[in-house]
Amino acid sequence: MGIYEELGIRPVINANATLTRLGGSRLAPGVAEAMAEAGQSFVDLRALQRAVGAEIARLTHNEACYVSSGAAAGLTLVTAACIAGTDPERRERLPFTADLKNEVIIHSHTRVQYDFGVRMAGVRLVEIGSPAGTSTNELIAAITPRTAAMFFFPRGQEERGELPLEAAVEICHARGIPVIVDAAAQLPPKSNLWSFTQRGADAVIFSGGKGLRGPQPTGLILGKRELIEAITHHGPPNPFIGRGMKVGKEELCGILAAVRWYLDHDETQDAAFYELAVAEVVRAFEAHPAVSARRIWPCEAGQPIPRTELLLDEARLGRTRDEVLTALRNGEPSVEVGEGLGATLWINPQTLEPQELPLLLERLEQELQVLSHK
Ligand SMILES: *Cc1c(COP(=O)(O)O)cnc(C)c1O
């Protein structure tokens, strides 16, 4: 009996995204082995964090790296470092920040729910811009003596109206304000591991358990040496704001194995499978009376990955989009797809294995039959 079966938990075919609620991603080859080996000995954890950080920094062409317990923890720790640096008295006071720098600038058109991780360190978010974008003047006007940092939550390709990262960096750096990028889900492409910092960001954050396929409770903070050093002072095992965001020796060795795998593996092979999967889903619904399928681009966080969008004619189908989502989830095997806009479903190949594709197609065809009796 399998480990999940024994617990009455059904494995899911995930054609949605690298979602934490579905388990994030599959461990890359070599990660479980590295974790198992790491679990066999005691080590100096601080020294291991430094050694793993140095190696990941080298591999990703960055000055320094800190491994956090996920991108969300990375947001809290980097904010703590921007507020309190390495000052021991300030470190102990967090998250109470009266009379410290406690404002963080964010752009309203890129707001995501994860900015709670920033607020957790004790700051107030200062939202600038509009859904159309942010101007240079709006950024300059928002900066005060209390500004601790500016955060960017990019959605992949820079959008129209968005203040270019370089322009934001120039304005902020002239005033001594660090610029932090949350690119948690923005892999692929591999080059994002170094491009944001090369373009001037002081730090960029990635999830270890999404595109990197490392342990779920890991994340990378890549960037300037001084900032990473300050993060180390706030992070575990030190008993301060990061103590509840523990990363074990197993995760540290696991994420290093994942980064090595990720940088070595062939992205063009992934891309070929993604195109094949999208084409097969589109073909399966070519002549369907109530579903029209098309390839869309890019993926949910702006990654260069195609998806299929299925537009449902709910009246003809005799089922609403949400009823289809529920039926897919409750059927056997359970299938998760993305909730698109309006009456659409998004089928994402990023989290699929080739052998799951025929099963996925079968389940989609089952649940998207025209129910003539309705
Ligand atoms: C997924 C995500 C996070 C959280 O990442 P974890 O590694 O699960 O903590 C934070 N920010 C953004 C933009 C994300 O997509």
Side-chain angles (χ1 to χ4, degrees):
M1 208 188 256
I3 200 163
Y4 291 131
E5 207 184 342
E6 186 201 333
L7 296 164
I9 299 294
R10 298 189 306 148
V12 173
I13 294 186
N14 178 9
N16 189 340
T18 54
L19 300 177
T20 298
R21 71 173 172 85
L22 294 177
S25 56
R26 281 190 178 81
L27 289 179
V31 175
E33 292 82 348
M35 294 177 78
E37 185 184 341
Q40 295 309 309
S41 314
F42 292 96
V43 290
D44 176 335
L45 197 74
R46 288 187 177 90
L48 180 63
Q49 169 75 254
R50 280 184 196 286
V52 167
E55 181 61 3
I56 294 178
R58 187 186 70 76
L59 290 166
T60 60
H61 318 296
N62 281 284
E63 269 183 34
C65 165
Y66 183 85
V67 176
S68 61
S69 63
L75 290 171
T76 308
L77 289 176
V78 80
T79 307
C82 291
I83 301 168
T86 56
D87 182 299
E89 186 272 326
R90 291 178 177 183
R91 173 174 71 174
E92 194 148 1
R93 252 203 281 163
L94 295 183
F96 299 101
T97 57
D99 79 345
L100 298 179
K101 289 189 176 184
N102 59 5
E103 293 174 0
V104 164
I105 298 174
I106 56 160
H107 301 247
S108 68
H109 67 294
T110 67
R111 269 207 80 167
V112 290
Q113 62 200 8
Y114 299 104
D115 56 31
F116 191 93
V118 178
R119 286 199 284 138
M120 245 175 87
V123 297
R124 184 170 75 82
L125 298 180
V126 177
E127 198 171 321
I128 59 169
S130 70
T134 311
S135 71
T136 317
N137 286 338
E138 284 168 321
L139 173 56
I140 293 171
I143 294 173
T144 76
R146 308 195 70 120
T147 305
M150 191 208 83
F151 274 74
F152 238 58
F153 293 85
R155 293 207 196 104
Q157 282 82 12
E158 247 120 285
E159 288 157 42
R160 261 191 317 147
E162 190 163 302
L163 191 59
L165 179 61
E166 288 81 354
V169 164
E170 197 182 315
I171 292 165
C172 289
H173 284 183
R175 293 158 180 82
I177 295 164
V179 172
I180 315 297
V181 174
D182 175 4
Q186 279 165 26
L187 296 172
K190 289 176 189 178
S191 57
N192 277 354
L193 289 167
W194 47 87
S195 65
F196 290 107
T197 39
Q198 283 177 357
R199 292 167 64 201
D202 295 81
V204 60
I205 298 171
F206 295 95
S207 286
K210 292 180 181 170
L212 287 171
R213 294 178 52 187
Q216 265 293 287
T218 59
L220 301 180
I221 311 172
L222 302 166
K224 301 260 168 71
R225 198 178 307 283
E226 202 184 331
L227 185 57
I228 299 295
E229 193 55 42
I231 289 169
T232 307
H233 283 260
H234 292 272
N238 301 310
F240 303 104
I241 198 161
R243 183 59 180 82
M245 306 172 194
K246 183 193 274 189
V247 184
K249 56 195 183 305
E250 299 82 4
E251 284 78 32
L252 288 165
C253 292
I255 187 62
L256 175 58
V259 169
R260 285 181 170 146
W261 167 84
Y262 187 73
L263 290 170
D264 279 347
H265 95 289
D266 184 1
E267 275 184 335
T268 61
Q269 228 169 341
D270 296 343
F273 170 66
Y274 300 153
E275 290 299 348
L276 174 114
V278 168
E280 290 213 9
V281 180
V282 170
R283 189 167 338 108
F285 289 96
E286 232 161 31
H288 198 286
V291 178
S292 50
R294 65 180 183 126
R295 174 188 181 278
I296 58 171
W297 173 278
C299 218
E300 43 122 22
Q303 312 98 308
I305 297 174
R307 287 179 291 176
T308 317
E309 180 175 85
L310 301 180
L311 172 62
L312 313 186
D313 180 340
E314 294 174 325
R316 260 188 110 165
L317 208 54
R319 249 182 173 179
T320 65
R321 191 276 311 265
D322 290 344
E323 285 169 349
V324 173
L325 277 173
T326 306
L328 284 168
R329 184 173 297 137
N330 293 342
E332 187 57 42
S334 177
V335 168
E336 291 272 351
V337 300
E339 206 180 304
L341 302 173
T344 67
L345 299 173
W346 287 334
I347 319 293
N348 178 359
Q350 184 188 8
T351 39
L352 284 179
E353 290 284 303
Q355 71 274 14
E356 291 176 324
L357 189 54
L359 268 173
L360 169 70
L361 287 169
E362 201 182 302
R363 291 284 295 116
L364 288 174
E365 286 169 10
Q366 262 171 15
E367 302 299 350
L368 290 166
Q369 280 176 43
V370 174
L371 300 175
S372 44
H373 61 276
K374 268 212 180 174

